[in-house]
Amino acid sequence: MAIQHIAIHIVKRDKKSDPLFVKLRDEENPISGLSGKLGDLLLNLFSEANLHKGEFGVNGDNSVSPYLEQKLGDYYDDSLEITDFIGMTRQLAENYRLILDGNVAIKGGYLVYYQYTKGDDIWFAIAIVPRRDGYDITDDDADVVESNLLEMNKLHLGAAINLSNWKLGLDSRYISFKTGQAKELRDYFENYIGCQRDKQAIKIETRRLRDAVRQHAKDLGLDDVAAQEKLDTAHAYIQQKLTKDKEPVLLSSVANAVFPDNPQEFVVHATDNFDLGEELTIDNSELKRYKKLSGNTRHINLSFDRILLGDSVVFEPADPDDEGSSDTLHISAIPANLKKAILEELAIRASEKVEN
C-alpha cells in the first residue's frame, strides 16, 4: 500500500455554537512527511473488518449522485488519473463547512483527504480527526511547551471509497466507513459523504452474532434451554448498550457478559467461524429475534424458539371470510415432559369419570 496524494484542511469549532475556524490549503501536503508511523496509521485506518459498507445515493436512491460522487466524477478521468487533487479537496472541505454552518452542534476537526493504493485498487479516503491539547519538551533546552496532537488512532468519522470498484461498477459496497454510535454524528457524516449503509450487511452481522452464541453454547455441552438463556443474556446486554448506555457494542464485552468463565474462547470462536470484528453493528429487528416468541393469557403461558415457527410449530390464521374460524397453532414436536403430564392428566380424568 502507498499514499500518492494528501491534503489536510481545517474546519472546526472548539465548542458547540462557536464560530467556525476554517483554513484550507493551497497546495497538497508533501508525501515526504508521511514516512514512518503516520503513513502506516493512515493506510490502516480502514483495514478493520467491522466497518460499515455502503454505496453512494440520496434518500435511498443509488441512481442519484451526491455532491462527493459528483466531485469524484469531475476530477477523476476514466483511468482514475486525478486532474487537481488540491482543488477537489478544497471544494469538498467547503461543502463540509456549509454542512457545519447549518449544524452548530458539530465541532468538525482536521479533514485529512488522501489517495492510496491497496493491491490493484485505487482508494480515496476522508478522515475527520480530532485534536487534543498536550505538552512536549524541546530538544534544545528541555523547555515544556504546549503541543496539539492529532489523535489518529481515535477515528470516529471516516470513509474510504474503492475508486476502482466504483468506477467500473464491480461492487455495490465500495465505501467502507465509520460513523460512531451517536445518531447525531452518524446522520451528518453520512449526509456529507452521501453514502447509504448496506442495511442487509448489518442484519447479517447481527444474525451471525446470534448464531455464534448459540453454537458456542452447544459446543460447551449446554442444552437448548441453557443455550437460549445465553441468547437472552446477549439480548439484554446489547439492548442496554444501545438504549441506556449509548455505547458501542464490542465483541469482547458481549463475551464477558455471556460467557464470563472463558470469554476469550468465545471471541476466538466468533472471529474465526463467524467473521465478526471487535466493534459490532446491530440491527434492532434482528436483535429482537434473539428472544423466544412468547405470549400468555390468564390460563396459558406459551413460548418457543423462533426457528421452530413453520417447522414443528405451524400458525394458521383465521379465515377472514368465515366468522366462525379462529387462529390456530399446531405443535407437532411436543416436549416429552409435557406429553407425560398431559397423559397423566387424561388418565386421572378418565378414572374420575368411571368413579362417577
Side-chain angles (χ1 to χ4, degrees):
M1 296 193 293
I3 296 175
Q4 289 93 32
H5 302 277
I6 182 168
I8 302 176
H9 305 292
I10 306 173
V11 180
K12 69 180 185 70
R13 51 171 60 96
D14 292 329
K15 297 179 181 179
K16 293 180 179 180
S17 301
D18 278 358
L20 282 172
F21 172 77
V22 179
K23 185 175 182 179
L24 307 184
R25 289 184 62 88
D26 296 319
E27 297 178 348
E28 295 183 31
N29 292 80
I31 299 296
S32 59
L34 297 177
S35 59
K37 189 174 181 180
L38 178 57
D40 291 340
L41 280 170
L42 288 172
L43 289 171
N44 291 316
L45 279 179
F46 301 97
S47 61
E48 301 174 38
N50 59 317
L51 293 171
H52 300 303
K53 303 291 184 179
E55 61 183 334
F56 288 122
V58 176
N59 296 325
D61 187 351
N62 61 7
S63 67
V64 180
S65 294
Y67 184 83
L68 174 58
E69 186 176 27
Q70 293 175 35
K71 294 298 108 180
L72 292 176
D74 291 342
Y75 285 93
Y76 281 97
D77 61 22
D78 290 340
S79 59
L80 291 180
E81 290 292 329
I82 182 72
T83 58
D84 183 3
F85 189 82
I86 192 67
M88 179 183 71
T89 61
R90 283 179 63 92
Q91 290 190 35
L92 295 178
E94 280 287 355
N95 185 52
Y96 183 76
R97 180 186 64 79
L98 291 174
I99 291 175
L100 264 63
D101 275 340
N103 191 338
V104 295
I106 303 300
K107 291 184 179 181
Y110 291 76
L111 279 65
V112 183
Y113 300 93
Y114 57 105
Q115 176 189 307
Y116 64 99
T117 57
K118 184 166 67 173
D120 295 329
D121 294 335
I122 299 174
W123 292 72
F124 174 72
I126 303 171
I128 300 178
V129 183
R131 186 193 72 175
R132 66 178 173 86
D133 295 331
Y135 298 92
D136 200 356
I137 299 176
T138 62
D139 291 334
D140 295 334
D141 46 19
D143 285 339
V144 177
V145 296
E146 290 189 2
S147 174
N148 296 317
L149 306 175
L150 291 181
E151 297 190 288
M152 297 299 296
N153 61 336
K154 292 187 177 181
L155 176 69
H156 296 294
L157 298 172
I161 300 111
N162 186 323
L163 297 178
S164 302
N165 286 352
W166 162 72
K167 196 72 173 179
L168 297 174
L170 297 177
D171 186 3
S172 63
R173 301 176 66 202
Y174 46 78
I175 304 177
S176 301
F177 58 102
K178 188 170 185 177
T179 59
Q181 292 291 317
K183 185 178 186 300
E184 179 182 57
L185 290 176
R186 184 171 66 242
D187 289 350
Y188 108 84
F189 185 71
E190 290 183 14
N191 178 46
Y192 172 59
I193 299 298
C195 59
Q196 45 197 20
R197 65 181 62 200
D198 186 343
K199 295 182 179 179
Q200 187 61 29
I202 301 175
K203 287 180 177 289
I204 291 171
E205 183 163 275
T206 309
R207 203 175 299 150
R208 283 178 179 170
L209 178 60
R210 179 197 64 200
D211 294 342
V213 171
R214 180 185 286 126
Q215 183 60 54
H216 191 59
K218 291 187 176 181
D219 290 346
L220 293 175
L222 303 180
D223 60 20
D224 289 342
V225 174
Q228 182 58 49
E229 288 176 353
K230 293 295 186 184
L231 280 175
D232 291 344
T233 301
H235 178 276
Y237 175 80
I238 295 169
Q239 194 75 9
Q240 163 93 6
K241 285 295 175 185
L242 294 178
T243 58
K244 186 175 180 180
D245 298 338
K246 298 188 183 302
E247 295 178 353
V249 179
L250 304 179
L251 180 62
S252 57
S253 298
V254 174
N256 283 317
V258 181
F259 299 100
D261 293 338
N262 194 342
Q264 186 57 32
E265 187 178 54
F266 172 71
V267 170
V268 173
H269 165 79
T271 302
D272 292 349
N273 300 319
F274 292 88
D275 194 28
L276 293 172
E278 171 63 358
E279 187 169 333
L280 302 167
T281 49
I282 300 297
D283 178 79
N284 284 323
S285 63
E286 281 296 324
L287 181 62
K288 291 178 182 178
R289 302 184 70 189
Y290 284 37
K291 301 283 288 181
K292 287 186 174 185
L293 289 171
S294 62
N296 62 280
T297 66
R298 181 179 177 183
H299 301 293
I300 296 176
N301 188 356
L302 180 65
S303 67
F304 55 89
D305 287 348
R306 292 172 183 266
I307 59 174
L308 299 180
L309 187 63
D311 185 12
S312 57
V313 180
V314 178
F315 174 71
E316 292 184 359
D319 183 351
D321 298 325
D322 183 358
E323 294 182 358
S325 70
S326 59
D327 297 331
T328 306
L329 198 65
H330 299 273
I331 302 176
S332 57
I334 302 173
N337 56 350
L338 176 59
K339 180 179 178 180
K340 180 181 178 182
I342 290 173
L343 292 176
E344 289 175 351
E345 177 64 21
L346 291 175
I348 292 172
R349 293 185 182 186
S351 63
E352 289 175 345
K353 284 184 178 181
V354 172
E355 292 175 358
N356 292 333

